[in-house]
């Protein structure tokens, strides 16, 4: 089985590249044809969706795993066309190709397709209402994939972080070395989810299909259990980093509100996803988000 992995250099893509190998021949692709830490990959620039067709026709994958995305939530506000090309037009093309060839498409989406105005966890069939360009472009990708009629699986996840890449955990650890005091938003609530867990569930779902189960088409929510604010996430990172010896001292963390920290993109206040479908359909539930923090810090500390 041939698996084309797009976005192999991203947080989730990197973890997928480590994990998908047991399932078949993995062909990694990145924007510039380079893999993190050295090594070469195929070149796939999702900003130029038309060029993807040649790559697809050359490789003829049985499964496409699309971990590439435009994820710069604030910058997207000033680059809406680029966000749309990468997050909507490219997935649409992948989906059309899969529909025509009978291949499967595993794609990722986001909690930012919701407006955050809820007092319960968001379910897969709740109405979407993105607040910003990034969320709009990701939702347009979901819609296009579903309209294509291909066998697809869209895993909506949230607050992704890893021991590498650009993410909140690494930003906090860097700032801890530079500042005595940090101000972090405490009125946005979500479920921090390690990229490694997302990759592990993705591999398990593909393996399940390889073993004879029907392809699990549709949208499924996939996050760690529990919830916290960015402020709570920061405090948990510092507490665990002190414990593992990754930090010798931690900054004080002041809780502030979203209005104290204006950003170009508006973010949902409450974006926790209901993951009962993952549990009921596949018997999978991820651990509490705090376990992800200690695990990822242990990886960073080289334990
Ligand atoms: N990060 C989060 O908090 C979060 C939350 C919810 C959902 N998600 C979704 O989860 C999925 C994986 O996200 P992630 O956290 O792994 O993101 P990430 O670390 O930002 O990785 C995205 C990858 O896509 C690549 N990419 C960007 N533009 C490209 C282009 N034009 N052509 C080819 N590759 C391109 C990036 O390459 P460069 O490094 O060269 O730009 C990067 O390697 C995405 O679908 C994302 O929308 C993420």
């Amino acid at each position: 089985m041939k698996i084309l992995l797009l976005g192999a250099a991203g947080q989730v893509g990197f973890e997928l590249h480590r994990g998908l190998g047991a399932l078949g021949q993995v062909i990694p692709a990145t924007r510039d044809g380079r893999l993190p830490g050295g090594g070469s990959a195929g070149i796939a620039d999702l900003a130029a969706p038309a060029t993807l067709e040649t790559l697809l026709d050359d490789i003829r994958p049985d499964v496409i795993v699309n971990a590439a995305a435009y994820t710069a939530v604030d910058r997207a506000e000033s680059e809406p066309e680029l966000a749309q090309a990468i997050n909507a037009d490219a997935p649409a093309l992948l989906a059309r190709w899969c529909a025509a060839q009978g291949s499967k498409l595993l794609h990722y989406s986001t909690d930012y397709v919701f407006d955050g105005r809820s007092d319960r966890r968001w379910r897969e069939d709740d109405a979407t209402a993105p607040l910003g360009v990034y969320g709009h472009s990701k939702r347009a990708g979901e819609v296009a994939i579903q309209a294509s009629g291909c066998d697809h699986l869209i895993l909506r996840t949230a607050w992704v972080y890893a021991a590498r890449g650009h993410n909140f955990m690494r930003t906090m650890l860097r700032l801890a070395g530079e500042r005595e005091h940090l101000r972090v938003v405490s009125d946005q609530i979500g479920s921090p989810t390690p990229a490694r867990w997302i990759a592990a569930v993705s591999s398990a779902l593909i393996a399940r299909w390889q073993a004879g189960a029907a392809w699990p088409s549709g949208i499924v929510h996939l996050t760690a259990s529990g919830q916290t604010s960015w402020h709570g996430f920061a405090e948990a990172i510092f507490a665990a980093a002190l414990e593992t010896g990754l930090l010798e001292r931690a900054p004080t963390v002041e809780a502030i509100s979203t209005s104290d920290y204006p950003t170009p993109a508006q973010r949902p206040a409450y974006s926790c996803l209901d993951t009962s479908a993952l549990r009921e359909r596949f018997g999978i539930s991820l651990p509490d988000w705090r376990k992800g923090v200690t695990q990822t810090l242990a990886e960073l500390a080289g334990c």
Side-chain angles (χ1 to χ4, degrees):
M1 185 179 76
K2 274 193 198 171
I3 305 173
L4 173 62
L5 170 60
L6 300 170
Q11 300 187 87
V12 173
F14 178 81
E15 300 295 338
L16 282 164
H17 194 197
R18 300 213 277 204
L20 285 174
L23 303 179
Q25 182 194 357
V26 180
I27 299 120
T30 60
R31 192 207 315 247
D32 59 6
R34 278 194 302 227
L35 288 169
S40 60
I43 295 178
D45 183 357
L46 274 66
T51 64
L52 290 174
E53 241 154 340
T54 316
L55 181 81
L56 295 173
D57 290 339
D58 277 355
I59 296 173
R60 308 199 70 72
D62 302 291
V63 179
I64 300 174
V65 180
N66 180 29
Y70 183 111
T71 55
V73 175
D74 287 319
R75 204 167 66 227
E77 297 297 312
S78 52
E79 294 183 334
E81 291 86 9
L82 187 57
Q84 174 75 18
I86 295 170
N87 290 345
D89 300 347
L93 184 143
L94 299 174
R96 283 196 302 274
W97 190 89
C98 284
Q101 305 299 325
S103 297
K104 315 293 179 193
L105 177 60
L106 174 51
H107 179 76
Y108 300 92
S109 190
T110 172
D111 52 338
Y112 283 17
V113 297
F114 296 115
D115 66 11
R117 297 185 192 106
S118 174
D119 53 10
R120 62 153 176 81
R121 289 180 166 263
W122 296 93
R123 298 185 189 129
E124 284 80 354
D125 55 3
D126 281 335
T128 56
L131 297 174
V133 167
Y134 167 73
H136 271 288
S137 67
K138 293 296 292 185
R139 176 59 189 154
E142 292 181 352
V143 170
I145 290 171
Q146 296 207 292
S148 74
C150 76
D151 282 342
H152 62 274
L153 175 61
I154 299 171
L155 296 173
R156 277 195 197 131
T157 188
W159 294 32
V160 179
Y161 68 100
R164 54 173 304 286
H166 300 291
N167 59 64
F168 183 81
M169 173 179 272
R170 283 172 40 98
T171 301
M172 288 299 113
L173 292 173
R174 175 175 53 77
L175 291 176
E178 298 168 3
R179 301 195 201 160
E180 302 270 310
H181 182 73
L182 298 176
R183 301 168 78 236
V184 182
V185 169
S186 64
D187 57 358
Q188 289 170 29
I189 307 297
S191 305
T193 304
R196 191 174 277 196
W197 293 3
I198 298 166
V201 172
S202 304
S203 297
L205 293 175
I206 295 175
R208 189 179 162 278
W209 165 69
Q210 265 189 330
W215 180 263
S217 262
I219 295 179
V220 176
H221 288 174
L222 167 63
T223 65
S225 302
Q227 63 184 51
T228 188
S229 65
W230 292 112
H231 176 265
F233 189 18
E235 290 212 309
I237 291 167
F238 293 137
L242 287 172
E243 211 164 289
T244 55
L246 208 59
L247 289 181
E248 282 176 9
R249 51 159 289 284
T252 52
V253 190
E254 179 187 345
I256 60 166
S257 64
T258 299
S259 56
D260 294 325
Y261 188 73
T263 52
Q266 202 187 334
R267 289 164 168 76
Y270 184 80
S271 71
C272 297
L273 302 179
D274 184 328
T275 55
S276 34
L278 186 71
R279 189 173 58 250
E280 283 155 19
R281 287 180 65 184
F282 311 114
I284 298 174
S285 46
L286 290 180
D288 185 80
W289 65 273
R290 290 178 198 82
K291 185 164 185 194
V293 171
T294 48
Q295 244 182 38
T296 309
L297 285 171
E299 188 187 346
L300 269 169
C303 298

